Structures are given as structure tokens and as C-alpha cells.
């Protein structure tokens, strides 16, 4: 969904790290190369164990503020990576996340457009065409049905 979601994750507490040798060599700074510096991280970087949790919390704060037709998007208690919005007139939106990948299904374009506008106010977003594969699950959608099956990795 977002381009480089990790860049949007502010850590709950700063982390400290000794720069990897490759980082020191690429920087061209000989002081970094001898290990005499410690970096203080205030945002998550790829590979940190906290990164997924911080992104989930960051995204949740944004989604918790979404409201459409007077109703809020609800995060499921049984699966904290899933969100649902529905009203009594049959409009429905379901959204699932896995790290920085998001899959959304919606039966009304105005609801989908409102949520995407809300997300775009907070993050740079890549909005793709209808999905055919998500997390190695193939998806075949027709007007009334959705079929899914496991796919082999290339």
C-alpha cells in the first residue's frame, strides 16, 4: 500500500546501534569505520523486530480516525490486522494487512474512495489494479464470487 512504510514508523523508544561496516565504508567517513560511533534511531529501519509492530500501530492511529456516513472503521478484536466498515444498507468494506501490504474489498466505490483519500492524507500510497495474487494466494474475482487458491512462488 505505502511506499516504504517503515519510513513512517516512529519508534516508541529510540534504539541504538553500531553502524555496520558496510555503512561506514559507503559513507567515506574513516571515523565511522573504526566503530567509534553509535547511531541513535528514532524511526524504524528494515529488519528491526519492532518495525512491523510500529507500522501496525501507526496505521491503526490513522484508520481509527476514518469515518464515513457517521460510522467508524472498526478493527477486529479477534484479528488485529483486519478492519471492517459496514452499515445497515449493505455498504461494506473489509481490509486486511500483513506488514506493509494491504488488501481491501469494498462493494461501494464512494466508500472505497473516501478511505483511500483518508489514507493518502497521511501516507504516500500506491493504488494498484484489482488484485490477482496476495501473499501467495491467487485470487479470481467475478461479479458475484471470489475464488482463492495457493500459488507457487516463481
Amino acid at each position: 500500500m505505502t511506499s516504504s512504510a517503515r519510513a513512517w514508523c516512529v519508534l516508541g523508544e529510540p534504539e541504538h546501534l553500531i553502524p555496520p561496516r558496510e555503512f561506514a565504508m559507503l559513507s567515506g567517513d574513516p571515523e565511522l569505520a573504526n566503530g567509534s560511533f553509535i547511531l541513535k534511531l528514532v524511526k524504524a529501519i528494515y529488519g528491526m523486530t519492532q518495525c512491523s509492530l510500529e507500522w501496525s500501530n501507526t496505521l491503526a492511529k490513522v484508520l481509527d480516525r476514518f469515518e464515513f456516513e457517521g460510522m467508524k472503521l472498526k478493527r477486529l478484536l479477534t484479528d488485529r490486522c483486519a478492519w471492517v466498515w459496514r452499515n445497515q444498507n449493505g455498504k461494506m468494506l473489509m481490509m486486511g494487512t500483513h506488514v506493509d501490504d494491504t488488501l481491501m474489498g469494498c462493494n461501494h466505490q464512494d466508500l472505497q474512495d473516501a478511505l483511500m483519500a483518508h489514507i493518502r492524507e497521511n501516507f504516500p500510497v500506491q493504488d494498484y489494479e484489482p488484485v490477482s495474487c496476495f501473499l501467495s494466494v491467487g485470487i479470481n474475482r467475478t461479479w458475484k464470487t471470489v475464488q482463492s487458491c495457493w500459488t507457487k512462488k516463481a
Side-chain angles (χ1 to χ4, degrees):
M1 174 173 72
T2 67
S3 56
S4 65
R6 291 163 189 85
W8 299 96
C9 302
V10 176
L11 297 171
E13 293 183 16
E15 293 286 332
H16 297 85
L17 110 111
I18 297 172
R21 184 180 317 269
E22 295 81 5
F23 175 80
M25 290 188 299
L26 289 172
S27 74
D29 187 341
E31 292 294 319
L32 284 175
N34 68 19
S36 61
F37 282 92
I38 295 176
L39 300 178
K40 178 180 178 181
L41 302 175
V42 293
K43 290 193 173 185
I45 60 174
Y46 186 81
M48 291 182 71
T49 56
Q50 303 94 319
C51 190
S52 296
L53 176 62
E54 295 298 340
W55 169 243
S56 177
N57 291 340
T58 301
L59 181 61
K61 288 175 187 173
V62 169
L63 295 177
D64 282 342
R65 293 191 309 262
F66 177 71
E67 191 171 315
F68 185 78
E69 295 180 355
M71 297 177 60
K72 291 192 160 280
L73 188 64
K74 294 182 182 176
R75 192 175 191 185
L76 299 184
L77 294 175
T78 54
D79 186 344
R80 304 304 284 165
C81 298
W83 301 80
V84 174
W85 186 100
R86 72 176 117 197
N87 70 7
Q88 294 180 352
N89 298 329
K91 285 186 184 178
M92 184 173 186
L93 179 142
M94 296 172 62
M95 186 167 119
T97 62
H98 177 75
V99 189
D100 59 353
D101 292 321
T102 303
L103 182 65
M104 176 175 33
C106 185
N107 65 357
H108 282 271
Q109 192 66 46
D110 56 345
L111 173 56
Q112 179 178 322
D113 291 345
L115 179 59
M116 290 306 296
H118 178 75
I119 293 171
R120 281 191 182 97
E121 289 173 6
N122 295 276
F123 309 110
V125 175
Q126 296 175 1
D127 191 10
Y128 296 106
E129 295 298 315
V131 68
S132 61
C133 185
F134 184 73
L135 303 176
S136 298
V137 176
I139 299 170
N140 182 19
R141 181 178 177 263
T142 64
W143 177 247
K144 293 188 178 194
T145 64
V146 175
Q147 296 174 332
S148 63
C149 65
W150 289 106
T151 61
K152 293 181 180 179
K153 292 212 175 215

